[in-house]
Each structure stands twice: as structure tokens, then as C-alpha cells.
Amino acid sequence: MSATAEINELHDLIGGLRRCVTSLKTRYGDNPAMRRLVIDADRILSDIQLLDTDVAELDLDRATVQHSAEMIAIPDTEYDRDFWRDVDDEGVGGHSRY
């Protein structure tokens, strides 16, 4: 499925969502929960419109990913201990200094 087809599908879906939200607002009135739903639906529509702009500017339908066949060798040898001096493992805490 192309990006354009997916964006068109998003427009159809957000149209259906907005119709449902409008129907619910008619039934339940203007209350905080309904205002949140209306704001959320409007935000989603705005995000889709921004995506439309990005796709048009970046021409994502024609974008291609280039893969490199070049392999980078990483040696199995130990790094010099001075390389790791003053480094802490995130989430584990500091290493004991030796």
C-alpha cells in the first residue's frame, strides 16, 4: 500500500471518527468528556494534515532505502581500561574504582 493510499484511508477514518464524535456530542451534550473527545479528534485531523504536508515535501512515495553491503569489522580484543575511566553504566550505578 502506498503512502498516499494510507493517508487517504486515514482521512476516511478520521471523517468517520468525527461523525461519531458529533453524534455523541448531540446525545450527551457539552461536557468535559465530550470536549476532550472533540479536541482529540481535531488534533488527530491536524496531525494527519501535517503528515500530508510532510509527505508532499519529502516525496515519500519515491523515497528509496539504500542498504550498504559493506561490513565493518569489530575486534574481539579488550578495550584499554583508561577508555572506560569515569564512565558509569546507566541504571546500574557507578563501577567500583580500581
Side-chain angles (χ1 to χ4, degrees):
M1 182 178 279
S2 72
T4 304
E6 290 168 339
I7 290 174
N8 289 337
E9 183 178 356
L10 279 173
H11 279 286
D12 293 340
L13 292 169
I14 190 63
L17 175 63
R18 292 186 79 189
R19 284 188 296 278
C20 288
V21 168
T22 301
S23 176
L24 287 171
K25 188 175 179 182
T26 301
R27 181 179 298 162
Y28 295 112
D30 186 31
N31 60 58
M34 285 310 309
R35 284 192 293 272
R36 282 193 303 271
L37 283 173
V38 169
I39 290 169
D40 288 346
D42 289 341
R43 182 189 48 79
I44 292 170
L45 177 62
S46 176
D47 289 345
I48 293 170
Q49 290 168 340
L50 288 172
L51 180 63
D52 277 337
T53 303
D54 290 346
V55 166
E57 287 178 1
L58 299 174
D59 198 13
L60 294 179
D61 279 338
R62 295 187 199 172
T64 58
V65 177
Q66 296 179 359
H67 297 282
S68 173
E70 179 184 354
M71 297 290 286
I72 300 172
I74 300 175
D76 290 335
T77 58
E78 292 284 327
Y79 286 103
D80 184 13
R81 285 186 179 264
D82 288 335
F83 179 79
W84 298 108
R85 188 177 16 170
D86 300 328
V87 174
D88 290 335
D89 287 332
E90 292 182 15
V92 177
H95 288 288
S96 60
R97 307 290 179 209
Y98 35 106

